[in-house]
Amino acid sequence: VQLQASGGGLVQAGDSLRLSCAASRRTSSRWVMAWFRQAPGKEREFVSAYKWDGGYTYFEESLKGRFTVSRDTAANTIFLQMNSLKPEDTATYYCAASSSIILSNLRRPEGYAIWGQGTLVTVSS
């Protein structure tokens, strides 16, 4: 399985961006796709996860209200809509996937075996 992330770029504070993560295929009914981000010099942190079965979404608490997730089922793609972007949102955003993650690992990078390449988001002040 391969993941292809796209949509990053340079924007100004207050702007919006939509990131995409396309999976070459889904391998189970327990498929979960997630977004993490990593700023320079910082650890990779959880942004959002989407549980394909049931359409449940999970967010880092501080990002709720600004970030949303949607999907294109036929294209095996999830989208991360980021609104009211702030300079502190600047990071490389990575998508990840798992066919058998347990709920307690949902927000941990080590819970995901499949990773896409990152897409850089830069928010200028």
Side-chain angles (χ1 to χ4, degrees), residues 46-104:
F46 174 75
V47 174
S48 177
Y50 184 89
K51 188 178 178 185
W52 217 267
D53 181 21
Y56 298 104
T57 56
Y58 306 83
F59 289 93
E60 163 60 33
E61 196 66 29
S62 64
L63 300 177
K64 284 183 179 179
R66 292 196 299 125
F67 290 14
T68 60
V69 172
S70 60
R71 83 181 189 194
D72 180 336
T73 301
N76 295 328
T77 298
I78 61 169
F79 304 97
L80 179 67
Q81 178 68 41
M82 306 184 294
N83 299 323
S84 302
L85 283 162
K86 304 175 181 181
E88 51 264 42
D89 295 317
T90 295
T92 298
Y93 285 70
Y94 296 91
C95 65
S98 172
S99 60
S100 60
I101 196 167
I102 59 175
L103 200 58
S104 59

